């Protein structure tokens, strides 16, 4: 399945990403918990799964921030190098 097919099948917007998909899953788990609130074991399993999702979202966010920071540092170095060469 391509990303376009996924978007069409599930009605997703064109700029969704992994974090959006994870949030959709976590939201649906929360909705299901309301119906299973009398089953303590199932609620605990769902909470554990949501924690797993949120922890992975944190990993994705940190990777993205590190890439941005690294790109910014590379650009600063290149600007300094060009400045020393007399390029602006």
């Amino acid at each position: 399945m391509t990303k376009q097919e996924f978007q069409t099948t599930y009605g997703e917007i064109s700029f969704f990403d992994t974090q959006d998909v994870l949030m959709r899953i976590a939201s649906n788990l929360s909705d299901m918990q309301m119906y299973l609130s009398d089953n303590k074991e199932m609620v605990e399993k769902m909470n554990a799964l949501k924690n797993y999702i949120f922890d992975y979202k944190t990993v994705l966010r940190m990777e993205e921030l590190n890439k941005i920071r690294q790109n910014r540092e590379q650009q600063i170095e290149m600007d300094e190098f060009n400045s020393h060469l007399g390029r602006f």
Side-chain angles (χ1 to χ4, degrees), residues 16-71:
F16 81 105
D17 61 9
T18 303
Q19 294 192 40
D20 294 326
V21 173
L22 292 173
M23 284 309 299
R24 167 87 50 116
I25 294 168
S27 175
N28 285 328
L29 286 172
S30 291
D31 291 345
M32 289 177 60
Q33 268 184 302
M34 291 187 306
Y35 298 108
L36 301 171
S37 60
D38 58 336
N39 186 338
K40 186 177 179 180
E41 183 180 337
M42 186 61 72
V43 169
E44 288 174 2
K45 286 181 180 183
M46 288 184 155
N47 283 337
L49 185 54
K50 288 191 296 184
N51 286 334
Y52 179 85
I53 290 169
F54 295 137
D55 287 346
Y56 189 65
K57 279 181 52 67
T58 300
V59 169
L60 292 175
R61 250 189 328 267
M62 292 307 296
E63 286 180 348
E64 186 176 327
L65 287 174
N66 286 336
K67 283 181 187 177
I68 291 169
R69 189 174 300 121
Q70 190 175 42
N71 287 342

